[in-house]
Amino acid sequence: LVLVIDMSLSMDAYDVEPSRLGRVKREVADLLEVVERDRLGLVIFAGGPWVDSPLTRDYRRLQEQVDALDTELFQAQGSALGAALREAASLLRGDSHAGKGILVFSDGEIHDAGDARMAANELAKDGITIYAMGVGTDPTPIQRKSGNFVIHKGQRVMSTPQPELLKELARITGGAYVAS
């Protein structure tokens, strides 16, 4: 299983406690409490993907990496989910073990939904299943750690969770969607 975590600025929204990214960290901690003998990888993304961990059984180290995540790690902002799915799939391809899956944690605000759909179709052909956990509940301004809000053209940027795309990606590959 490869965990794919959205690191775009919208994950700093506070419509869920402690924030969308903070909620993802809690969900991963809960997951790591119940997995046994499974190998997990970690791909993070904003304007592009980054493999933060190859497949491993070192859950403690993986949790440390997730705990250290911060949206400020990416200089190039955006939501390149399609590229992140392909990167996650590259960790799974060539592995002879049965049961290949990707678990996406995101608010669903993806800039290129068409590319994400194309990636899901590619994964479905390879027998890789996408599971998605939507994070976020309401349209919310994005407040940075400095206390300032993200501003575009003189207006506060509002982040609106969009679970429909995540549901569609899961459906394409025979996976499932849940809301955090």
Side-chain angles (χ1 to χ4, degrees), residues 7-9 12 21 46 68-77 143-147:
M7 299 295 296
S8 61
L9 289 178
D12 283 335
L21 182 57
L69 293 178
D70 188 310
T71 59
E72 294 178 8
L73 293 172
F74 283 89
Q75 290 182 1
Q77 279 301 313
Q143 187 174 14
R144 304 307 310 255
K145 290 169 187 60
S146 65

Side-chain angles (χ1 to χ4, degrees), residues 140-152:
T140 307
I142 303 168
Q143 187 174 14
R144 304 307 310 255
K145 290 169 187 60
S146 65
N148 297 325
F149 289 91
V150 176
I151 305 292
H152 181 69

Side-chain angles (χ1 to χ4, degrees), residues 1 6 9 11 21 27 30 35 43 53 77 88 104 112 133 140-141 157-158 168 180:
L1 181 68
D6 187 344
L9 289 178
M11 295 301 284
L21 182 57
E27 295 287 1
D30 290 347
V35 294
V43 173
S53 175
Q77 279 301 313
V104 176
D112 191 346
M133 180 174 284
T140 307
V157 173
M158 295 295 287
E168 182 181 356
S180 171

Side-chain angles (χ1 to χ4, degrees), residues 6 15 22 28 42 68 74 77 86-87 90 117-119 121 134 148 166 173:
D6 187 344
D15 54 334
V28 171
L42 176 62
F74 283 89
Q77 279 301 313
R86 289 181 186 95
E87 199 68 43
S90 72
R117 285 184 195 96
M118 278 193 344
N121 281 305
N148 297 325
L166 298 175
T173 63

Side-chain angles (χ1 to χ4, degrees), residues 56-69:
T56 182
R57 286 190 182 98
D58 188 348
Y59 304 147
R60 185 178 52 78
R61 175 73 178 125
L62 195 60
Q63 184 64 59
E64 289 170 358
Q65 287 173 267
V66 169
D67 288 342
L69 293 178

